[in-house]
Amino acid sequence: HHIKPPADSQIGVQKPAMCASCHDDTMKGAAAIVDVQQQLGRLSVATARAEQILDRATTSGMLVDDGLLALHAAREQQVIARVQVHAFVAKPVDDAVAKGLVSAARAEAFGNQAMAELRFRRNGLAVATILILGFLVTLWIKIRRLPPIDS
């Protein structure tokens, strides 16, 4: 599944971004604005991807509490990064985004691990089912070969 980065309408040098009312792409700070927009977009994609895999795992009945905690931490860093934008310095945003990306990656890893465990369980169930069916067929054949009981 490909997740499209969400358009952050608040940050950027193109309308309708709020920054665009005072800044355009020819100004000195334009590169920093675009960088911050891209950083926040990457964090949004990472959290969306982690949320998607955790939702699938949860829907499949897997316990992913640690993954949900990591996702919550990633979302907190996303909020912190958006607040840091108002400091007009890219470094605090970069730090918050980096922490958020680590948390989002952990959340996604927990989700992937849960889905791998689910596949393993399903494969085990399929093997057990095949073995039981084989036993039942063998038992049925043995019963059919028994001589009739005379009363």
Side-chain angles (χ1 to χ4, degrees):
H1 301 286
H2 180 63
I3 298 175
K4 181 182 172 193
D8 196 324
S9 62
Q10 301 297 315
I11 300 163
V13 290
Q14 304 292 326
K15 292 284 184 184
M18 292 181 72
C19 304
S21 60
C22 300
H23 303 278
D24 62 26
D25 56 1
T26 62
M27 298 179 81
K28 182 179 178 184
I33 292 170
V34 169
D35 180 54
V36 166
Q37 180 187 31
Q38 290 173 346
Q39 293 272 24
L40 290 175
R42 285 203 333 252
L43 182 53
S44 292
V45 168
T47 55
R49 206 171 46 231
E51 181 178 21
Q52 186 179 52
I53 190 75
L54 289 171
D55 283 347
R56 281 194 352 217
T58 301
T59 301
S60 298
M62 302 302 292
L63 293 176
V64 289
D65 292 344
D66 290 338
L68 293 173
L69 286 173
L71 181 61
H72 181 71
R75 287 185 178 142
E76 283 180 358
Q77 291 302 318
Q78 194 172 23
V79 170
I80 290 169
R82 286 191 174 136
V83 169
Q84 292 296 340
V85 167
H86 299 107
F88 298 104
V89 179
K91 177 80 171 115
V93 174
D94 292 345
D95 291 344
V97 167
K99 289 178 185 175
L101 288 172
V102 168
S103 294
R106 283 186 60 233
E108 186 175 359
F110 280 116
N112 285 330
Q113 183 179 359
M115 294 305 291
E117 184 179 337
L118 178 64
R119 283 189 294 277
F120 178 77
R121 288 180 184 182
R122 286 181 177 168
N123 289 342
L125 179 62
V127 168
T129 302
I130 289 170
L131 290 174
I132 291 169
L133 287 175
F135 172 75
L136 291 175
V137 167
T138 304
L139 185 62
W140 180 77
I141 291 171
K142 283 285 196 186
I143 292 173
R144 300 276 300 166
R145 289 186 180 171
L146 287 176
I149 299 176
D150 293 329
S151 354

